[in-house]
Amino acid sequence: MLLRLHDRLPEPEVESILRFCKELGYRTQLLDGAPLEGAPRYVRLEGGGRPEHRARLEDLTGVREVVDVGRATELHARMAPVPTQPDSLAARPDSCVSVGQARFGGGRLSLIAGPCAIESAERLREIAGAVRAAGATLLRGGAFKPRTSPYSFQGLGRRGLQILREVRAELQIGVVTEVLDPRDVGDVGEVCDMFQIGARSMTNQVLLREVGKTRKPVLLKRSFGATVAEFLSAAEYVLAEGNESVVLCERGIRGFDSVTRNLLDVGAVAHLVQATHLPVIVDPSHAAGRADLVRPLARAGLAAGADGLMIEVHTQPFEVHSDGEQAISAAAFREIVGDARSLARLDGRELVTYEESFERNGNQRIRETIS
Ligand code: PEP
Ligand code: MN
């Protein structure tokens, strides 16, 4: 790794940077051979190499930039150091995250579907049965809802978690639900197969660290105001705690036009496929904000390389408690499953759908955690 120092840095500050690097465990070498007055000065660092060092070194006022990250690449990055040649980087293969029957990444796609919020046991059971039959491998549904207005329906809370637990056991399908409060990570984790971190929580580092301490998969949604770099840094918080099962979810960012609720950033999806080994999925429901555009946005997301979709589906469109305008029917969802299968095949990938036989053949994890 090379640090480029600011021009004309006083010697005591150079000394202090060298001392700091040594404290981090690096051997340092000041590259001062430039004959010209004012030519850039570099410090070469060898050894050490923890991912968080890059950010700490960038924070030093005397450091202009970290030129070559070398061994200190972040955990989410596609490019990683070669163990036998610490100064060269090679592309990491795609990470595949398994959640119940679902597989995200490494050439496999899965679909998550269900209501925005858990409303009642009967309704969740009905929706779960419909999406499972259509091809979803994971059921979604929020018990704790992060609503923009405090007067909107906030979800059923703990009662919602209990309903989720029952439906999961009855239908033997993995479930994804949002955790809003770091203090709820234990309770939500007892019920769900995958934590959802919502767009509004993407910058809650306390929450990110807390789910990072578990070994349960995390679905991390991009904040509508976050750059791609900020999104990846949020993922890094989870990875840095040792939880390697992170799935990124692009759900639309703030645009200036209200024809859609958000602007689906397909460019970011295509970029992320290259920039990180983590799986990336698309939520066309919150991007569109309208049922009639969910299907085309789903197709666009998959065509850009997404490893799956998360879609809001409801069986009673006139009874939806939240995000009703974007909920699609089970029949409409079935069409998207067909699209996903065709688009996956086009790319030499495979859509994983729910298999009844899986239950009989031993979905051990679901059975063990339920009983
Ligand atoms: C949701 O998935 O229902 C949700 C609240 O999404 P987001 O956090 O992306 O707004
Ligand atoms: Mn919603």
Side-chain angles (χ1 to χ4, degrees):
M1 182 159 38
L2 286 177
L3 304 184
R4 179 172 175 185
L5 304 181
H6 275 294
D7 297 344
R8 285 180 269 279
L9 209 57
E11 282 314 305
E13 200 167 333
V14 175
E15 290 299 320
S16 130
I17 290 172
L18 295 176
R19 225 174 9 253
F20 180 73
C21 295
K22 282 179 190 143
E23 277 165 21
L24 291 180
Y26 292 96
R27 288 184 299 283
T28 61
Q29 186 191 1
L30 189 59
L31 304 179
D32 223 3
L36 292 174
E37 171 75 5
R41 295 172 92 190
Y42 292 91
V43 178
R44 183 199 294 280
L45 301 183
E46 281 172 5
R50 292 181 54 80
E52 67 267 25
H53 289 176
R54 182 192 167 96
R56 293 190 63 186
L57 294 166
E58 276 170 347
D59 273 349
L60 296 175
T61 49
V63 172
R64 184 159 158 182
E65 61 179 323
V66 178
V67 180
D68 169 15
V69 294
R71 285 181 65 85
T73 57
E74 296 198 12
L75 300 167
H76 67 259
R78 169 70 79 184
M79 301 306 284
V82 181
T84 49
Q85 295 160 274
D87 285 332
S88 37
L89 298 177
R92 284 190 179 109
D94 291 348
S95 290
C96 177
V97 173
S98 301
V99 190
Q101 289 200 38
R103 299 288 178 273
F104 300 97
R108 285 191 282 176
L109 281 65
S110 296
L111 306 180
I112 308 170
C116 178
I118 297 162
E119 297 161 352
S120 69
E122 299 68 42
R123 192 63 71 238
L124 190 65
R125 197 177 289 124
E126 182 179 283
I127 297 170
V131 298
R132 197 187 75 166
T137 40
L138 289 175
L139 173 69
R140 62 150 287 147
F144 298 102
K145 293 304 302 176
R147 305 306 299 280
T148 302
S149 163
Y151 307 117
S152 304
F153 175 59
Q154 304 287 307
L156 297 180
R158 288 182 193 279
R159 190 153 68 83
L161 283 186
Q162 184 52 32
I163 292 173
L164 196 59
R165 183 195 292 276
E166 285 163 22
V167 171
R168 174 179 183 268
E170 274 173 44
L171 280 98
Q172 295 283 311
I173 186 167
V175 297
V176 186
T177 199
E178 178 155 358
V179 58
L180 269 176
D181 188 322
R183 292 167 298 188
D184 290 334
V185 165
D187 289 349
V188 174
E190 271 184 27
V191 175
C192 74
D193 298 277
M194 183 180 219
F195 289 113
Q196 177 173 325
I197 301 294
R200 289 158 193 79
S201 299
M202 191 208 87
T203 50
N204 184 342
Q205 286 99 1
V206 180
L207 181 61
L208 295 171
R209 283 197 195 280
E210 210 54 39
V211 295
K213 286 180 195 145
T214 75
R215 292 298 172 264
K216 202 165 270 278
V218 175
L219 180 64
L220 178 64
K221 299 189 84 176
R222 179 183 181 186
S223 159
F224 33 72
T227 63
V228 168
E230 288 163 342
F231 187 23
L232 288 170
S233 284
E236 193 71 18
Y237 267 92
V238 181
L239 299 169
E241 293 295 330
N243 188 343
E244 295 179 350
S245 300
V246 177
V247 176
L248 303 172
C249 179
E250 161 59 33
R251 45 77 77 205
I253 51 174
R254 274 261 147 94
F256 55 83
D257 195 336
S258 58
V259 289
T260 55
R261 183 175 175 186
N262 290 289
L263 193 62
L264 181 66
D265 192 353
V266 278
V269 176
H271 168 78
L272 284 167
V273 168
Q274 297 178 7
T276 175
H277 57 94
L278 298 173
V280 185
I281 71 165
V282 160
D283 167 356
S285 304
H286 290 83
R290 18 189 294 209
D292 61 333
L293 295 187
V294 170
R295 186 177 182 190
L297 294 196
R299 294 164 68 133
L302 293 174
D307 300 296
L309 299 169
M310 177 155 82
I311 298 184
E312 289 190 347
V313 177
H314 207 284
T315 45
Q316 307 293 333
F318 302 113
E319 291 179 20
V320 187
H321 287 34
S322 64
D323 286 348
E325 316 80 68
Q326 67 198 37
I328 62 167
S329 66
F333 176 65
R334 198 179 277 279
E335 289 184 330
I336 294 176
V337 177
D339 293 342
R341 192 173 280 114
S342 311
L343 285 166
R345 201 175 305 127
L346 211 59
D347 281 346
R349 302 190 290 166
E350 180 206 354
L351 175 72
V352 179
T353 52
Y354 188 88
E355 281 177 42
E356 301 292 341
S357 60
F358 190 77
E359 185 188 333
R360 285 194 298 279
N361 294 342
N363 185 350
Q364 289 301 343
R365 205 161 61 79
I366 289 187
R367 257 214 296 274
E368 279 162 15
T369 53
I370 283 170
S371 55

